[in-house]
Amino acid sequence: MARYLTPSKIGLLVLASLYTESVVPSAATIPVLSFIVSHVLPVHPGTSRDESALYQRDSTIAIVDFQKATIGHVSGIPGRSVWDLILKKLWKINSFDALHIFFDTLSSLLQRTPEEQDKDREDGIDPNPNQMLLSRVSPLGSFVRRAQLEFTRLQFHDGVALWNSFVAYRAPTLPQWRKRNPAAGTTSFDTNLHEDHLDLGDRLTDAVYGKLADERHKEAIVSTEDVEKLLEHQVDQMQRMGNRLPQAVRAKFRDMLETGVTVPSLSHYVTFLDSWKAGDYPSSFDNLHRYFDYTMHNRDRIFYQYALLNLAILHADFGCYSEAIIAMQETISTARENNDMGCLNYSLSWLYHFGKAHPEELDKVQKKGVLGTEKEALAFLKSKAKETSMWSLLSTSLLSEARLALSNGDSASQAFEGILKASHLNVTKNALNAVGSQMSMQSSIFSRLGVSSQAGLTGEIFLQCYAGQSPVEDIVHCICKSAFLLAQKGRYEAALARIEEVDEETMRTLKYYQYWTANLGLLKLRRHLHRDNLVAAESVLYQLQAAPNLGQDLLFSISTLEIDLQLRRGDYTKAMEILESQATRLDSQEADIFQRVKLMTLKARIYEKAGIAQKGFSVALRAASLAHRARLMPALWEGVGAVCAVLISLKEYEGAAKLLESILPQALECDDCVLAAQIFSLLADAHMGLAGLAKAETLQRKEQLTKALENVGRSFDEFSRIEDVKGQCEMMAKKATIMHLNSDPVLANDCAAKYLDIKKAAKEELYR
């Protein structure tokens, strides 16, 4: 098969020749030129949002595409459309010799050089005033010149193959050609057969057009360049979007290979990316070496650093962290040696983010001073990204700076400043692939500030408006975060439906599948805990703990839920051991302040459950102080609740009630049913304490009991939303106690009966 020429390109040349003959009217000029140029000029990666159109664009143009683009345009010849003229020219090429003549006459479409003009004057040849000539350096002129050159370079057998392919490509238009030319027959594709009265069944015809005669010539008509364009586009898509090779493209590529086309070395790189995303370490490693062995053999060392870069990322994704660091250090050295600033900046950025994900693995690198402190590393990355105009890297560095500020508990306004800078950069420099990270960061800040509705809205905006141009990883993260926010409100069915929105094509990538599975497991684990199904919860917990390659945030969430499991079992010693182990791990690295505050609050809660709430007073107070300084509003309200629990145990009921009532409106804005239920429960306890201090049969005592009853009911409603069986039973028990104190045994018995019904329904749910 030819490297460049295909039957579809012959069709484009025919259309270009019609344009130069001035038979295309003004009204059809722009559509015709747009059709030609869209298939002649290279497509810049990421400019098209229609993936299916790109696949078609990068392979071949079907003959029906020519018909659709031109049949609606009237030509300059009365009674004929542009499509009719194309048919005439296509069927005028009625032999292999005519194909040579067609390519030989392509020079007449181009402007003559000064030497050729002088020669024409000497020969007395006048230029045709009705013909438009193409500039030799214009897109159309360059296309015509290259097509003519590539045809000249064809070997004889390649030329014959091109002619046979052209005959098969043009064959579907025979019925339409017969309407305009009744003399056309089944052998009109070759004038030699027509003139010699040879039929398709003759031996000579079978020898030359055997495949055509048997009507088995169905192979895809492509060139090596078509395959290279398809592969380049797929590499760009897989690197920018992070997805695997789609099944439709895989089938198309397989069909192309069956035609015997020369396979470019880039196919090894595509196979490497696909195997890597699929989690096939041996195949990805093998294909990476195949590709770069070829490039090293042909291009010396200019691509050596990229081979090392891919190798480092491959090792890291499969858990070989020490090998990844060694390969990345060599990548940085080689990039410096070759003065490849793009590769160097990307490598340093990757090393920084790798250190954030695996801090224990990067101690040696930091000691050697490769990156320095985090702030120094980010400042260096920002300056280098500006110098080299790597806008995506600059946007990522700004977001990393904002994330570092949040992690350290710095001002939220400072983090918002970094996000706004990144947002402005994404818009002005059209860095659409960085919008997902920016909006995810924005959603995280809103969650930390306690504005969950705004956090959810930010995620919805991203999924509705920017999902088409964003990496698959950002989409998966956004969907899982949205599902978590729904589960936080007690909408488990909606959360499970949302997390199922991740499409099957995305799930073919191992990394995303593992992340999705872990988040789905967390949702189910939280629901099992709330339903008091501790056996199922433990089973899911073991599966989550065995999952490989989980991020720090997921590991922390698993640990907190494991502590919750032990608390529900009443094993406070085990819960404290898990908490201390997690705290030790956080102390050994620069952990997020949110995680530290969360552990402090859990510690105070363990002390409260164990009946020694006063022991957790200093821990709870410190947690509330840190959360207030870092503007972690949900954690602040949780910490204040822990402080109030200590105050209630010390019989400081009035102070606890005032404190809880002051934070209640803002706590409800967090849309966290667990937090709201805990605050209402504590508020009920405070009012019960105040009722106990009041004299019997007084108005003050009745008011306090009424307030306690109201808060118990609201806490019960919050526990009911999240299906928390233990919380519902606890509130029913408190309600029954209040009814007894109010001397209302009927309602007290009703509450006791409802308590038993809740227990019974929970047990029945376990055996379904």
Side-chain angles (χ1 to χ4, degrees):
M1 184 60 67
R3 170 172 174 77
Y4 180 75
L5 287 175
T6 59
S8 60
K9 287 189 173 64
I10 296 176
L12 289 175
L13 290 170
V14 167
L15 190 54
S17 66
L18 289 176
Y19 169 71
T20 60
E21 293 172 6
S22 301
V23 294
V24 178
S26 300
T29 299
I30 293 179
V32 168
L33 285 179
S34 299
F35 179 79
I36 298 174
V37 171
S38 66
H39 294 91
V40 169
L41 293 181
V43 176
H44 187 273
T47 55
S48 176
R49 298 173 63 178
D50 187 358
E51 292 300 314
S52 61
L54 271 172
Y55 299 150
Q56 185 65 25
R57 154 71 179 89
D58 282 344
S59 53
T60 59
I61 317 169
I63 193 69
V64 293
D65 294 331
F66 283 97
Q67 182 179 357
K68 291 177 182 178
T70 58
I71 197 169
H73 300 294
V74 180
S75 70
I77 300 176
R80 294 289 186 270
S81 65
V82 177
W83 170 242
D84 293 331
L85 300 183
I86 291 177
L87 273 182
K88 183 178 179 181
K89 272 195 170 289
L90 287 176
W91 284 94
K92 189 177 179 180
I93 306 174
N94 54 8
S95 66
F96 190 36
D97 180 61
L99 183 65
H100 280 78
I101 295 173
F102 172 75
F103 276 96
D104 289 341
T105 57
L106 288 179
S107 301
S108 61
L109 307 181
L110 304 172
Q111 286 183 345
R112 313 290 283 176
T113 62
E115 294 79 7
E116 290 174 338
Q117 291 177 4
D118 293 340
K119 186 177 180 182
D120 289 344
R121 284 194 214 93
E122 292 175 0
D123 296 340
I125 301 175
D126 296 327
N128 186 357
N130 295 324
Q131 185 175 15
M132 182 190 309
L133 297 179
L134 302 174
S135 171
R136 304 180 75 87
V137 295
S138 67
L140 282 182
S142 300
F143 170 63
V144 170
R145 290 168 59 203
R146 183 177 180 187
Q148 191 176 35
L149 176 63
E150 291 289 345
F151 186 79
T152 305
R153 295 170 59 185
L154 282 180
Q155 299 290 330
F156 178 76
H157 64 278
D158 289 330
V160 172
L162 176 63
W163 165 247
N164 287 334
S165 298
F166 175 71
V167 169
Y169 182 79
R170 183 185 55 184
T173 63
L174 179 60
Q176 300 177 58
W177 176 238
R178 278 180 173 176
K179 291 180 181 179
R180 297 294 182 183
N181 186 13
T186 55
T187 58
S188 296
F189 60 86
D190 191 335
T191 187
N192 298 303
L193 299 179
H194 187 66
E195 292 175 356
D196 294 339
H197 305 289
L198 294 174
D199 296 325
L200 292 180
D202 293 337
R203 295 177 63 185
L204 180 60
T205 307
D206 288 343
V208 180
Y209 299 106
K211 290 184 178 180
L212 183 65
D214 295 336
E215 297 182 357
R216 292 195 300 264
H217 192 74
K218 299 179 181 178
E219 62 184 24
I221 306 170
V222 293
S223 65
T224 304
E225 187 187 66
D226 293 328
V227 179
E228 287 180 348
K229 285 182 178 179
L230 179 61
L231 292 175
E232 287 171 2
H233 171 68
Q234 287 310 314
V235 168
D236 174 71
Q237 286 294 112
M238 295 169 78
Q239 288 181 333
R240 284 192 307 112
M241 300 302 181
N243 52 359
R244 286 187 63 188
L245 193 67
Q247 295 284 10
V249 181
R250 185 192 296 273
K252 184 183 288 290
F253 184 54
R254 190 183 301 113
D255 293 340
M256 289 180 176
L257 295 182
E258 290 176 357
T259 66
V261 66
T262 304
V263 181
S265 62
L266 194 60
S267 62
H268 296 307
Y269 192 70
V270 173
T271 309
F272 152 69
L273 290 175
D274 191 58
S275 302
W276 170 23
K277 299 298 180 183
D280 188 351
Y281 183 76
S283 297
S284 56
F285 195 80
D286 182 43
N287 282 283
L288 178 66
H289 277 279
R290 285 184 184 181
Y291 174 69
F292 281 106
D293 284 348
Y294 177 84
T295 55
M296 285 288 292
H297 180 72
N298 290 274
R299 303 178 186 178
D300 299 327
R301 287 177 59 87
I302 60 173
F303 283 101
Y304 183 52
Q305 62 269 25
Y306 292 101
L308 293 169
L309 177 63
N310 281 274
L311 184 62
I313 299 174
L314 179 65
H315 281 316
D317 268 10
F318 286 99
C320 306
Y321 300 130
S322 57
E323 290 87 347
I325 292 174
I326 294 172
M328 189 56 71
Q329 287 178 306
E330 191 172 351
T331 302
I332 293 171
S333 301
T334 309
R336 283 174 176 164
E337 177 186 335
N338 294 338
N339 200 27
D340 190 342
M341 299 307 298
C343 181
L344 177 62
N345 293 339
Y346 182 85
S347 302
L348 291 172
S349 176
W350 183 90
L351 198 60
Y352 168 80
H353 290 95
F354 178 82
K356 294 294 290 182
H358 309 283
E360 67 282 354
E361 300 289 340
L362 214 62
D363 289 340
K364 295 180 181 179
V365 179
Q366 290 178 339
K367 289 177 182 177
K368 291 181 179 180
V370 176
L371 285 175
T373 64
E374 289 190 43
K375 290 186 177 180
E376 290 173 350
L378 288 174
F380 175 79
L381 289 173
K382 286 197 300 182
S383 63
K384 291 300 179 182
K386 284 182 181 179
E387 289 177 7
T388 55
S389 299
M390 298 178 67
W391 306 120
S392 294
L393 176 60
L394 180 56
S395 176
T396 304
S397 301
L398 290 169
L399 292 175
S400 298
E401 200 171 46
R403 189 177 292 108
L404 180 62
L406 285 180
S407 178
N408 293 337
D410 295 337
S411 171
S413 59
Q414 181 181 347
F416 265 117
E417 181 184 355
I419 290 176
L420 288 175
K421 287 181 179 179
S423 177
H424 177 264
L425 191 67
N426 294 338
V427 172
T428 55
K429 302 300 181 182
N430 198 32
L432 296 178
N433 60 335
V435 173
S437 301
Q438 170 225 319
M439 299 196 78
S440 175
M441 189 68 197
Q442 198 170 327
S443 177
S444 297
I445 290 187
F446 284 130
S447 294
R448 289 178 177 236
L449 292 176
V451 194
S452 296
S453 57
Q454 189 65 36
L457 183 61
T458 303
E460 291 296 331
I461 291 173
F462 167 71
L463 292 175
Q464 293 294 329
C465 303
Y466 299 100
Q469 302 93 356
S470 299
V472 177
E473 184 175 9
D474 292 341
I475 298 172
V476 175
H477 285 187
C478 185
I479 290 176
C480 292
K481 178 68 179 297
S482 177
F484 170 77
L485 291 175
L486 290 171
Q488 193 173 260
K489 300 177 185 178
R491 300 172 57 189
Y492 286 111
E493 296 302 329
L496 292 173
R498 170 53 59 90
I499 206 170
E500 291 290 345
E501 290 179 6
V502 180
D503 57 30
E504 293 183 2
E505 193 65 38
T506 301
M507 303 288 279
R508 293 176 60 234
T509 302
L510 178 64
K511 181 179 179 182
Y512 306 146
Y513 177 73
Q514 290 175 339
Y515 181 83
W516 179 85
T517 305
N519 279 275
L520 180 61
L522 284 173
L523 286 179
K524 292 184 176 180
L525 174 57
R526 186 175 282 109
R527 195 175 194 183
H528 286 318
L529 288 173
H530 288 162
R531 288 181 168 182
D532 207 31
N533 190 356
L534 302 185
V535 176
E538 187 175 24
S539 176
V540 175
L541 178 63
Y542 286 155
Q543 294 178 42
L544 287 172
Q545 290 175 333
N549 302 325
L550 297 182
Q552 298 294 330
D553 293 340
L554 289 176
L555 291 175
F556 181 77
S557 298
I558 293 171
S559 298
T560 55
L561 289 177
E562 185 180 9
I563 294 172
D564 190 16
L565 173 63
Q566 300 303 329
L567 288 178
R568 291 175 183 273
R569 283 178 169 171
D571 192 350
Y572 305 125
T573 304
K574 181 66 174 176
M576 185 61 76
E577 289 177 359
I578 298 170
L579 187 143
E580 292 294 343
S581 174
Q582 188 71 11
T584 303
R585 187 185 67 81
L586 293 182
D587 289 338
S588 65
Q589 55 189 252
E590 297 181 4
D592 191 341
I593 191 171
F594 172 78
Q595 297 179 356
R596 296 181 183 277
V597 172
K598 183 69 175 177
L599 287 184
M600 290 178 186
T601 309
L602 279 174
K603 193 171 187 178
R605 186 182 167 199
I606 293 173
Y607 284 134
E608 178 200 349
K609 293 286 185 182
I612 47 176
Q614 296 91 334
K615 193 173 181 180
F617 181 71
S618 61
V619 177
L621 202 59
R622 188 182 172 203
S625 176
L626 285 174
H628 180 265
R629 181 172 62 85
R631 293 296 183 270
L632 301 174
M633 308 316 289
L636 173 59
W637 313 140
E638 197 172 350
V640 171
V643 172
C644 290
V646 178
L647 292 176
I648 291 171
S649 70
L650 295 173
K651 299 183 180 181
E652 294 289 340
Y653 304 120
E654 187 175 358
K658 288 182 178 179
L659 196 54
L660 289 168
E661 287 172 354
S662 67
I663 69 169
L664 187 57
Q666 296 181 76
L668 293 178
E669 289 182 0
C670 297
D671 287 335
D672 189 344
C673 291
V674 174
L675 176 61
Q678 289 175 352
I679 291 177
F680 281 127
S681 178
L682 289 170
L683 195 54
D685 293 344
H687 285 299
M688 280 296 292
L690 290 173
L693 296 177
K695 293 181 180 180
E697 302 299 331
T698 60
L699 181 61
Q700 182 183 3
R701 180 184 175 89
K702 289 183 179 180
E703 287 179 354
Q704 295 299 332
L705 286 175
T706 302
K707 289 182 179 180
L709 187 61
E710 179 185 354
N711 285 294
V712 165
R714 298 183 71 177
S715 179
F716 178 83
D717 292 340
E718 296 293 337
F719 279 126
S720 299
R721 287 177 186 170
I722 56 175
E723 305 174 5
D724 194 327
V725 174
K726 193 172 183 180
Q728 293 177 67
C729 292
E730 186 179 343
M731 292 306 105
M732 276 296 112
K734 288 182 179 181
K735 193 172 183 179
T737 304
I738 296 173
M739 292 305 173
H740 275 297
L741 292 174
N742 281 337
S743 302
D744 194 343
V746 176
L747 290 178
N749 290 333
D750 288 344
C751 292
K754 192 170 183 180
Y755 177 96
L756 295 175
D757 289 341
I758 293 172
K759 283 281 189 182
K760 183 179 179 181
K763 286 184 178 180
E764 290 176 354
E765 186 70 27
L766 295 180
Y767 296 107
R768 282 186 182 179

